[in-house]
Amino acid sequence: MRRIVFTGFRGTGKTEVGKIVAGKLNLPFIDTDSQIEQVTGRSIPDIFHEEGEERFRTIERQVIAGLPAQDVVISTGGGAVVNPVNMVHLRRKSVMVLLYADIDTIEKRMSSKPRPPLTGLPLREEIAEMMDRRRQHYHAAADICIDTSITTPAAAADTVIRTLNTGTTTEDNRKVAIAFFRTGRINPVALKKLCDILTGKDRDPLTRIMGVAGYPAAHSRSPALYNALFEKYGINCHYTFFEDPELDEIIRVARQLDARGLSVTIPFKQDAMKYLDEVDEHAARQIGAVNTVVFACGSAIGYNTDWLGVRKPLISLKGSDAVLLGAGGVATAAAYALADLDMKVTILNRNAGRAKILAERFGCSYGGLGDLDQLRPDLIVNATPLGMNPDDHSPLTDDHLREGMTVFDLVYTPPETPLILQARRLGCKTITGIEMFVEQAKEQFYLFFGIDVPEQTIRELVA
Ligand code: NAP
């Protein structure tokens, strides 16, 4: 049973290569643009010209939703992957092949074909602009990635078929990876499953590995969440624990395995930056840490979704007076989120010198933990680990809290921390660390796979 979906920018050869692959595998071939022309009885330039791009995208969504579920090769329009609902339909039990080419090649190929313009820009500038805008979406659709700039369609098709048979890594690399995973603290059942996926006799070479990179990592809820989401959306991936004291070692194994991506946790969020080929604007320039690494087409691209996880539950408190406890990795993302919500922020930390450094980066005030006695904030955000251990107490005394104020504890194991219980008892509004976990995971899954998972689905899966 096979479903192969070609994606990529215009002029990368999706239709030509897709047809050859379909012919060689004896599978039917569907080009979604041709289907749109068939169902509407009009050419795509005519649809764009008469009814605009939005109408075209609506018809495209309907066509994609109605595609057969199996035994087919599909070529999609260049912008189809941008829509997360399309990605749900395209990803289900499919292998997604991204074709790409350099801008000179695309310009040359496109100048000979009538295509509806997507912007008012001249052709070359339009290509650069649209490739840049869609880059993240193409990466989310790149199970197999092939550069068609200097290859013929027949050679590209051969590479696709070869990769479909062998996968994107070698037998030796899989064996080396198993030796690495044995040194981590994966439970025996999970380790056996991982070994079967990597080297078992019935293994599927196209199953991609990804995981949480940390030390420790064994406490993470991400493997259970991701593997449940893979099941739900029919994605051929397995998520595991990349636990090692050396980030170097984790990245080496991830690259050897051609891992789909990594969620990065303590203590590697800052160090991970130096292994990246690209970083997004928020992670790189502002926060200086990543929690998400997407591997696509030979590159490692870093993002930070932690700050979005802090920001979303606090949107209604825009402009508040806030105190942030802690000045570590998560506090940095939190400080960025609070500043982004125009809050007046005071950062308090056990080591006040660290609070000062962080405060100066984001234009906040700072102090030691004792300085909370003098403050009367609307919001307190705990970004210290206090509350994680069974014998931990709340970082606050009852005097620090008053009815009506909001307390957001970023600690999420356990969900009901001493601070949350204390704040509830004193009539505060409370937000648990699960809310941050849900939001950051939702954004992360979107970066990895282009699918917008409903918050409620994630909440149910982590409950
Ligand atoms: P980190 O970089 O190690 O920073 C820890 C911060 O907490 C530092 O400012 C440290 O102060 C302070 N701290 C540590 N122990 C303390 C203590 N006993 N008393 C007072 N302050 C103390 O850790 P992180 O990566 O920022 O993670 C912090 C917490 O965020 C984690 O433990 C986790 O519970 C939570 N988290 C939640 C999510 C989520 O999705 N909800 C995601 C990631 C992390 P010093 O500078 O003085 O050492």
Side-chain angles (χ1 to χ4, degrees):
M1 218 168 72
R2 274 204 170 156
R3 193 174 190 255
I4 302 156
V5 176
F6 282 86
T7 67
F9 199 71
R10 295 166 167 183
T12 52
K14 300 182 295 283
T15 305
E16 277 170 285
V17 178
K19 265 186 198 161
I20 300 171
V21 168
K24 291 199 169 189
L25 297 178
N26 209 12
L27 292 172
F29 175 72
I30 297 174
D31 180 281
T32 57
D33 279 353
S34 304
Q35 278 224 335
I36 292 167
E37 295 189 326
Q38 265 172 34
V39 294
T40 59
R42 282 179 295 166
S43 73
I44 287 176
D46 282 353
I47 301 171
F48 266 74
H49 182 68
E50 288 158 21
E51 296 186 78
E53 184 178 352
E54 209 160 300
R55 177 72 188 133
F56 168 79
R57 297 288 168 210
T58 304
I59 305 166
E60 185 181 53
R61 276 200 298 281
Q62 289 159 356
V63 163
I64 287 174
L67 287 167
Q70 62 200 51
D71 295 334
V72 65
V73 176
I74 295 161
S75 163
T76 58
V81 292
V82 173
N83 183 289
V85 177
N86 287 346
M87 286 297 275
V88 171
H89 294 296
L90 295 172
R91 276 220 151 274
R92 182 167 295 283
K93 297 199 188 304
S94 306
V95 52
M96 297 198 74
V97 183
L98 173 70
L99 301 185
Y100 68 99
D102 60 53
I103 191 163
D104 293 334
T105 307
I106 292 180
E107 186 183 20
K108 206 159 98 201
R109 289 177 187 164
M110 278 181 62
S111 44
S112 60
K113 289 186 189 162
R115 298 279 186 164
L118 296 167
T119 64
L121 297 167
L123 181 61
R124 191 178 174 88
E125 283 166 47
E126 173 168 296
I127 296 169
E129 164 79 19
M130 294 308 293
M131 280 170 77
D132 194 45
R133 265 196 237 169
R134 292 179 183 167
R135 204 172 155 63
Q136 177 199 312
H137 302 282
Y138 287 139
H139 287 158
D143 297 336
I144 294 175
C145 202
I146 293 180
D147 183 353
T148 62
S149 308
I150 50 166
T151 181
T152 62
D158 284 344
T159 310
V160 172
I161 290 170
R162 206 171 42 247
T163 314
L164 288 171
N165 290 327
T166 62
T168 58
T169 186
T170 64
E171 197 66 38
D172 282 352
N173 286 344
R174 291 165 185 274
K175 286 185 182 148
V176 171
I178 286 182
F180 163 84
F181 288 118
R182 282 191 198 287
T183 65
R185 285 182 300 154
I186 307 182
N187 74 58
V189 177
L191 184 62
K192 159 109 182 42
K193 177 152 195 206
L194 180 61
C195 292
D196 286 348
I197 288 169
L198 286 171
T199 53
K201 72 175 171 28
D202 296 325
R203 73 182 177 82
D204 176 349
L206 295 174
T207 305
R208 297 286 293 277
I209 302 296
M210 58 188 301
V212 51
Y215 191 76
H219 65 282
S220 174
R221 292 190 180 201
S222 296
L225 170 65
Y226 269 83
N227 288 326
L229 290 173
F230 295 156
E231 189 73 31
K232 180 175 171 61
Y233 290 104
I235 295 174
N236 191 3
C237 273
H238 180 73
Y239 192 108
T240 188
F241 301 91
F242 286 72
E243 187 180 70
D244 196 279
E246 298 297 327
L247 182 57
D248 242 4
E249 187 63 3
I250 291 175
I251 300 287
R252 185 184 63 75
V253 173
R255 284 208 181 257
Q256 272 185 340
L257 267 184
D258 193 29
R260 189 75 189 83
L262 293 171
S263 314
V264 184
T265 184
I266 38 172
F268 299 134
K269 288 185 182 182
Q270 277 102 355
D271 288 353
M273 299 277 287
K274 63 174 183 277
Y275 295 90
L276 303 172
D277 301 295
E278 293 169 39
V279 266
D280 90 321
E281 186 197 332
H282 295 292
R285 285 179 216 142
Q286 313 285 339
I287 301 170
V290 291
N291 72 332
T292 309
V293 177
V294 177
F295 293 108
C297 307
S299 290
I301 308 118
Y303 300 89
N304 189 305
T305 67
D306 282 336
W307 79 279
L308 296 165
V310 177
R311 188 184 188 282
K312 182 80 185 287
L314 296 175
I315 286 177
S316 64
L317 296 178
K318 213 166 187 278
S320 299
D321 267 9
V323 162
L324 173 62
L325 304 176
V330 170
T332 309
Y336 181 69
L338 301 182
D340 189 67
L341 288 170
D342 300 324
M343 294 197 191
K344 189 169 158 279
V345 184
T346 305
I347 300 174
L348 305 180
N349 193 40
R350 185 171 61 178
N351 172 344
R354 246 182 127 188
K356 178 173 189 274
I357 294 168
L358 182 56
E360 283 170 355
R361 280 177 58 194
F362 296 109
C364 308
S365 307
Y366 65 90
L369 292 174
D371 292 329
L372 185 55
D373 298 344
Q374 278 82 55
L375 300 170
R376 286 183 64 77
D378 312 309
L379 165 71
I380 297 181
V381 178
N382 176 39
T384 77
L386 278 172
M388 281 183 88
N389 294 315
D391 51 352
D392 275 350
H393 53 83
S394 164
L396 308 180
T397 65
D398 285 0
D399 298 343
H400 294 134
L401 298 168
R402 58 177 202 285
E403 202 174 333
M405 72 190 282
T406 303
V407 173
F408 188 0
D409 194 347
L410 304 187
V411 173
Y412 73 100
T413 40
E416 306 222 306
T417 58
L419 172 58
I420 289 289
L421 295 173
Q422 176 193 29
R424 262 188 217 146
R425 175 168 56 77
L426 295 168
C428 305
K429 293 174 202 143
T430 56
I431 307 170
T432 71
I434 291 288
E435 293 308 305
M436 175 185 174
F437 181 82
V438 166
E439 289 304 329
Q440 64 78 27
K442 175 183 163 75
E443 295 293 337
Q444 194 173 67
F445 199 82
Y446 180 69
L447 289 167
F448 285 135
F449 300 105
I451 291 175
D452 192 9
V453 183
E455 283 160 23
Q456 194 49 29
T457 302
I458 299 182
R459 228 172 253 127
E460 282 162 15
L461 291 173
V462 295

